[in-house]
Amino acid sequence: MDMEHLGLRSTGGAEAVLGLQPNSTMSIAYHSLFGSHNDITLLEIDETLIPDILQQRVTIRGQPDEDAVLCTQSKTYALKYVGTSNSVLLIPPSDKAVKECNDITIPVAAVFKVAPGIMEVVEVAPKLDKLKFLLSQNPYSFDEASDMDISHERMNTGLYSWDNLVDEVQASNEELRSGLQALSAVEIYGYWRVLDDKYMDMILNILLHDVILNDWSFNALNEDEVLRALETDGFPCNIAMHCLKVYGNKVEEHVGGSCVWQLEERRICVHFAREILKSGKMKVEKFMAEWIRKVPDGMHASFDMLEGEVLTEKLGIETLIYHFSVSSLPSTPAERFKILFRERQKWEWKDLQPYVRDLRVPGLSAEAILLKYTRRTQPTVDAEPIFSAR
């Protein structure tokens, strides 16, 4: 005899399971729509992600040849399928239990799907190396800026709008914006670009020339005056503003209707050091003399500014210097250390630190990253630690 004849009804859904007490049991039955339902995948998440998912503030990103990631507004998570030997049952919600004449109910869970595994989310670093690669393929040059025909020819050819980058780069929106800022990218005609080195060198030199010509202070540049001067020199307003952002800091929001900027000494000195070392290795003495000559009067070049930008090596009695910037290295630890140990088999900590302190792996401390990828030796307690490949 079935339950209806006994005056019994089943709860038939997830509510019965949610109310199940510890050490108690429940009958299960096939749902009328039971099946494989390959279009449904179970996702296990941390409680902190629930508001983002319920408010539809998450996206799945990745190209067909990439592993998919889940992105919130500020973080990136790898999606990993985990098989399970236990039966994972999907039970849909239903109406509450209805009691019949004898007030007896029997809880029965109607199973909609049996899942062989679930998807887990694990926080990971954003994949910003791809962003660097995409933007480096087509830098914005002086020729393009001065010839509109070239600009129109290049439109939609190897250029990326914000929406394009969101589709291409596996990073949250906040991480993507930070990545663009770190690359000194600027939006031009709706596309994000990096300026090529020659163009940046040109605009910086003209800016410094205008500062001297107009007897402006490096520490108190009037934004409107600077932009007007650079536009007169032939630079578009957005490029002139970009130059201020790259080489300066805003120190006052509004004074007499205009913002006040301060040129950042280290950034400008590092720029000229990079320009000098483009020709390759050179003696430290010769480099320092040329560097001091190149930097503007009133600014002071010091070797400690070049931490993470240059390396030195001994050649007989001479010391040579060459460009080796942390900004050119991959952001993934495995690739980063591979290049570092290809450059040098052994590193002293004072030399290695500038090239690894920006590495970020969610769930791993800086010490754990070093332990995973390097081998540390220290002949004596007072000796400088030496790091080699693990």
Side-chain angles (χ1 to χ4, degrees):
M1 187 176 294
D2 61 24
M3 290 188 292
E4 294 292 343
H5 287 100
L6 290 173
L8 308 178
R9 296 292 299 272
S10 71
T11 57
E15 288 83 356
V17 178
L18 293 175
L20 195 64
Q21 297 301 310
N23 300 319
S24 57
T25 61
M26 175 179 290
S27 299
I28 61 172
Y30 289 114
H31 192 281
S32 60
L33 297 177
F34 177 83
S36 59
H37 299 292
N38 292 326
D39 58 333
I40 298 176
T41 300
L42 301 184
L43 177 66
E44 184 176 31
I45 60 171
D46 186 270
E47 288 187 1
T48 57
L49 281 173
I50 292 177
D52 287 314
I53 289 179
L54 294 181
Q55 297 299 320
Q56 299 183 355
R57 296 193 299 257
V58 298
T59 55
I60 304 296
R61 295 180 181 174
Q63 294 298 301
D65 61 341
E66 297 173 326
D67 292 332
V69 297
L70 181 144
C71 293
T72 65
Q73 288 298 304
S74 60
K75 293 182 179 181
T76 302
Y77 297 85
L79 289 167
K80 297 184 178 182
Y81 181 82
V82 180
T84 174
S85 57
N86 296 325
S87 296
V88 180
L89 309 179
L90 178 61
I91 301 170
S94 67
D95 295 333
K96 293 183 178 180
V98 178
K99 296 183 178 181
E100 292 280 332
C101 58
N102 55 0
D103 291 335
I104 299 176
T105 62
I106 296 178
V108 176
V111 177
F112 187 71
K113 169 186 171 74
V114 178
I118 60 174
M119 296 295 292
E120 289 184 341
V121 294
V122 180
E123 186 180 350
V124 294
K127 311 296 179 62
L128 295 177
D129 286 342
K130 186 175 183 180
L131 174 66
K132 186 191 302 183
F133 171 77
L134 293 175
L135 298 189
S136 67
Q137 298 304 294
N138 199 355
Y140 192 71
S141 66
F142 174 74
D143 291 339
E144 186 178 349
S146 59
D147 190 337
M148 289 303 298
D149 291 334
I150 295 177
S151 295
H152 288 302
E153 284 177 10
R154 289 192 179 181
M155 283 303 171
N156 299 317
T157 305
L159 302 182
Y160 299 89
S161 66
W162 171 262
D163 289 340
N164 296 147
L165 292 175
V166 166
D167 288 339
E168 289 283 347
V169 181
Q170 292 180 304
S172 69
N173 288 0
E174 287 186 16
E175 291 166 332
L176 185 54
R177 290 191 186 95
S178 297
L180 289 168
Q181 184 177 4
L183 292 172
S184 298
V186 58
E187 193 173 17
I188 302 173
Y189 302 122
Y191 296 93
W192 285 92
R193 312 289 299 276
V194 292
L195 275 59
D196 74 5
D197 293 340
K198 290 182 179 179
Y199 196 22
M200 286 300 293
D201 186 51
M202 178 189 299
I203 189 171
L204 176 60
N205 278 301
I206 291 178
L207 170 60
L208 294 174
H209 177 266
D210 287 340
V211 170
I212 295 170
L213 184 67
N214 294 288
D215 197 27
W216 294 334
S217 168
F218 289 139
N219 298 320
L221 295 178
N222 181 287
E223 181 181 297
D224 290 343
E225 291 179 351
V226 171
L227 296 183
R228 277 196 300 268
L230 289 175
E231 285 184 82
T232 301
D233 293 323
F235 296 100
C237 182
N238 63 329
I239 299 298
M241 191 69 203
H242 178 65
C243 181
L244 270 181
K245 291 178 179 179
V246 172
Y247 294 111
N249 295 311
K250 191 182 293 185
V251 291
E252 292 183 39
E253 285 293 333
H254 294 283
V255 176
S258 180
C259 298
V260 175
W261 292 74
Q262 176 184 40
L263 291 185
E264 218 285 325
E265 185 176 58
R266 181 185 181 276
R267 294 179 207 164
I268 293 174
C269 289
V270 167
H271 170 86
F272 286 113
R274 288 174 175 172
E275 290 297 310
I276 294 168
L277 292 172
K278 276 184 177 179
S279 57
K281 297 179 181 180
M282 59 192 305
K283 295 178 181 178
V284 169
E285 295 80 4
K286 181 181 178 182
F287 163 76
M288 288 300 297
E290 190 171 344
W291 190 31
I292 291 170
R293 181 179 61 82
K294 277 254 187 183
V295 300
D297 291 337
M299 291 191 177
H300 306 284
S302 61
F303 204 81
D304 58 2
M305 291 178 173
L306 301 179
E307 192 177 67
E309 288 289 335
V310 301
L311 288 175
T312 59
E313 65 177 27
K314 287 286 187 180
L315 185 63
I317 62 172
E318 301 287 353
T319 301
L320 302 181
I321 185 172
Y322 61 99
H323 186 224
F324 188 76
S325 177
V326 64
S327 63
S328 67
L329 300 178
S331 61
T332 55
E335 292 299 315
R336 174 77 63 89
F337 282 105
K338 181 179 178 180
I339 292 177
L340 289 174
F341 288 120
R342 190 166 62 210
E343 183 67 25
R344 286 183 179 179
Q345 291 186 344
K346 296 182 178 181
W347 288 78
E348 292 185 4
W349 176 239
K350 62 179 177 60
D351 295 330
L352 180 63
Q353 185 184 24
Y355 294 97
V356 298
R357 64 185 168 204
D358 67 313
L359 290 175
R360 297 288 184 273
V361 178
L364 282 184
S365 65
E367 292 77 12
I369 294 174
L370 278 175
L371 184 63
K372 183 175 181 179
Y373 293 100
T374 71
R375 190 183 306 278
R376 170 179 169 148
T377 57
Q378 196 169 4
T380 65
V381 176
D382 297 329
E384 180 81 11
I386 303 295
F387 293 85
S388 56
R390 179 168 288 279

